[in-house]
Amino acid sequence: MVFRRLLRKRWVLGVVFGLSLIYFLSSTLKHEERTIRDRTLLEARDSDHHIQWKIKFILGNSSRQISQCRNSIQGKRLLTDELGYVCERKDLLVNGCCNVNAPSSSQHVCKSCLANGCCSIYEYCVSCCLQPDKQPLLERFLNRAAEGFQNLFTAVEDHFELCLAKCRTSSQSVQHENTYRNPQAKYCYGESPPELLPI
């Protein structure tokens, strides 16, 4: 009862409103300071950030033995390793590389990919993107990327990570943010978006 009477008084409501306003303004300013600091760190990193291109590591042309490979991991049936080999999951070696002697293994496979760089299978998109001749295309993409994209791709350290991210996160393949432009070719590493198919 006393609490209700206290809340009805205008000065109490004014104090509650004033404290709420102070809290709101201080959290907004702190958030703004954090955003500016993060943006400054990203811009400072961008000028020094260079992609490591994996051109020299083509297994067929090298005597270098690779001890560990990263791979695309998520494929239910197929995987792509960082050397550009696509293989069935059963042909993956314990070091993460595809067994190059297995019949299912092929390097730089563009089987399901269209001329514009959009593919129907994610692993083929990554493998095709890893071809050494795709480096100029990817460099053009990084140079022309919008600021938001540059922030997204600053975590990318090398050619393999760039291809994983580019094939997975391409906004070019969607229309109205909820429909694929071409459901058969939704994984893209190229510059131009897939053709819009009529519904």
Side-chain angles (χ1 to χ4, degrees):
M1 188 82 112
V2 175
F3 187 68
R4 280 187 186 171
R5 283 187 200 161
L6 190 61
L7 279 180
R8 287 185 186 160
K9 303 215 181 233
R10 287 185 185 209
W11 68 269
V12 172
L13 293 176
V15 168
V16 169
F17 176 75
L19 291 174
S20 300
L21 184 64
I22 291 170
Y23 174 76
F24 170 75
L25 291 174
S26 67
S27 14
T28 303
L29 291 174
K30 284 180 187 174
H31 178 71
E32 194 66 31
E33 286 173 10
R34 268 188 246 123
T35 304
I36 290 169
R37 186 179 65 237
D38 292 347
R39 188 176 297 138
T40 306
L41 286 173
L42 283 171
E43 286 171 0
R45 184 172 176 201
D46 276 350
S47 61
D48 298 334
H49 189 70
H50 297 289
I51 296 288
Q52 296 288 322
W53 300 103
K54 293 279 186 174
I55 295 172
K56 56 188 169 284
F57 298 137
I58 299 173
L59 197 59
N61 296 341
S62 172
S63 59
R64 181 180 184 272
Q65 292 296 324
I66 229 168
S67 59
Q68 289 288 89
C69 281
R70 294 169 297 164
N71 60 59
S72 58
I73 300 170
Q74 80 247 11
K76 189 174 185 178
R77 194 177 69 80
L78 294 174
L79 294 165
T80 302
D81 69 17
E82 66 183 295
L83 300 173
Y85 282 92
V86 176
C87 63
E88 292 181 6
R89 186 170 277 284
K90 66 180 174 64
D91 294 325
L92 191 67
L93 301 173
V94 292
N95 66 357
C97 299
C98 286
N99 180 356
V100 297
N101 299 319
S104 74
S105 294
S106 302
Q107 191 177 31
H108 300 138
V109 182
C110 298
K111 242 185 227 176
S112 70
C113 301
L114 304 174
N116 65 355
C118 291
C119 312
S120 62
I121 298 173
Y122 174 72
E123 288 75 15
Y124 291 154
C125 178
V126 175
S127 180
C128 197
C129 175
L130 284 169
Q131 288 181 344
D133 65 342
K134 300 296 191 271
Q135 181 179 339
L137 171 93
L138 295 169
E139 284 178 333
R140 273 196 312 274
F141 164 75
L142 288 173
N143 290 335
R144 286 193 336 214
E147 189 173 308
F149 261 158
Q150 285 177 343
N151 291 344
L152 176 66
F153 288 104
T154 49
V156 169
E157 295 292 332
D158 60 25
H159 192 175
F160 179 65
E161 289 179 6
L162 177 60
C163 289
L164 285 175
K166 185 82 171 85
C167 288
R168 186 179 298 124
T169 61
S170 178
S171 60
Q172 293 180 329
S173 58
V174 293
Q175 178 181 1
H176 307 304
E177 298 180 5
N178 65 357
T179 310
Y180 287 112
R181 294 174 60 89
N182 181 345
Q184 285 79 37
K186 55 188 173 189
Y187 306 107
C188 300
Y189 64 85
E191 291 178 296
S192 55
E195 274 188 45
L196 181 60
L197 294 181
I199 297 174

